[in-house]
């Protein structure tokens, strides 16, 4: 009787493994990728930045794009260095959907790049440039583009809650 239980257990485990392997091969991204997506949290699920501030606004815009940035980069003046530490691409090349960052001002400032025009100027959207909670659009002339750092978001692997 003892050997029958061992054989039954071995057959059951082998059948389960074969079944999981078969299901994994039938799914586009694989079974394990789907399990990971379901189990692991969305890295952009919670915006820890202070409402009304430029950092909060940019976080939400990046989230809407289905991308991600750091949730703990602190004040805007620290974003470029913290992004670099977190292996994000930070350079002098603006791109739509990237973050414009400057250390200017008391705590620095960040803005969302809506577009790059043919002449090299930037259309940006930002919050708290003039007043807390106020979202404004601004044009950065091409001759001033090199005064900023640009943080390029990563693709969010688990965007479960797109939008606000």
């Amino acid at each position: 009787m003892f050997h029958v239980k061992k054989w039954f257990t071995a057959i059951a485990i082998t059948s389960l493994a074969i079944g999981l392997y078969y299901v994994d091969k039938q799914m586009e991204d694989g079974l394990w990728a789907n399990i990971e997506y379901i189990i692991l949290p969305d890295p952009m699920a919670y915006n820890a930045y202070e409402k009304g501030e430029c950092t909060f606004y940019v976080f939400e815009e990046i989230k809407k794009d289905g991308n991600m940035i750091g949730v703990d980069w602190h004040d805007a003046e620290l974003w470029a260095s913290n992004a670099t530490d977190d292996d994000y691409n930070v350079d002098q090349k603006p791109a739509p959907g990237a973050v414009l960052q400057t250390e200017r001002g008391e705590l620095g400032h960040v803005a969302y790049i809506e577009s790059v025009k043919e002449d090299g100027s930037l259309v940006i959207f930002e919050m708290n440039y003039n007043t807390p909670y106020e979202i404004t659009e601004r044009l950065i002339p091409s001759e001033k583009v090199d005064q900023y750092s640009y943080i390029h978001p990563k693709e969010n692997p688990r965007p479960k809650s797109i939008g606000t």
Side-chain angles (χ1 to χ4, degrees):
M1 182 72 173
F2 182 69
H3 293 301
V4 173
K5 286 183 181 178
K6 279 186 173 180
W7 277 104
F8 179 75
T9 303
I11 290 170
I13 291 172
T14 303
S15 297
L16 179 62
I18 291 170
L20 288 173
Y21 178 80
Y22 177 78
V23 169
D24 182 61
K25 292 300 177 191
Q26 299 304 310
M27 300 181 95
E28 185 176 332
D29 293 329
L31 177 62
W32 307 122
N34 286 304
I35 290 171
E36 180 181 74
Y37 180 87
I38 292 166
I39 292 175
L40 294 177
D42 176 354
M44 295 289 286
Y46 177 71
N47 187 341
Y49 298 103
E50 190 173 332
K51 288 183 178 180
E53 298 294 338
C54 59
T55 50
F56 182 90
Y57 174 76
V58 168
F59 183 94
E60 290 299 319
E61 291 302 300
I62 299 300
K63 180 179 179 176
K64 285 180 193 175
D65 288 344
N67 291 323
M68 66 181 203
I69 56 174
V71 297
D72 59 354
W73 287 349
H74 308 289
D75 294 328
E77 67 186 340
L78 303 172
W79 274 35
S81 62
N82 288 336
T84 300
D85 292 345
D86 287 347
D87 292 324
Y88 281 77
N89 181 19
V90 178
D91 59 24
Q92 297 302 121
K93 300 174 188 166
V99 178
L100 174 148
Q101 186 268 341
T102 180
E103 295 178 14
R104 291 190 185 112
E106 187 178 329
L107 301 173
H109 187 67
V110 290
Y112 177 81
I113 301 174
E114 180 67 27
S115 63
V116 179
K117 295 184 164 248
E118 284 186 30
D119 67 357
S121 61
L122 308 177
V123 176
I124 63 167
F125 282 89
E126 57 201 332
M127 182 179 275
N128 196 23
Y129 185 68
N130 298 312
T131 308
Y133 293 96
E134 180 184 37
I135 298 169
T136 53
E137 178 180 356
R138 200 162 44 113
L139 181 72
I140 305 293
S142 58
E143 61 271 7
K144 295 192 177 191
V145 167
D146 63 351
Q147 296 176 8
Y148 304 98
S149 294
Y150 302 97
I151 303 165
H152 302 275
K154 295 179 181 179
E155 183 179 346
N156 184 345
R158 297 176 298 281
K160 296 177 185 148
S161 56
I162 302 297
T164 53

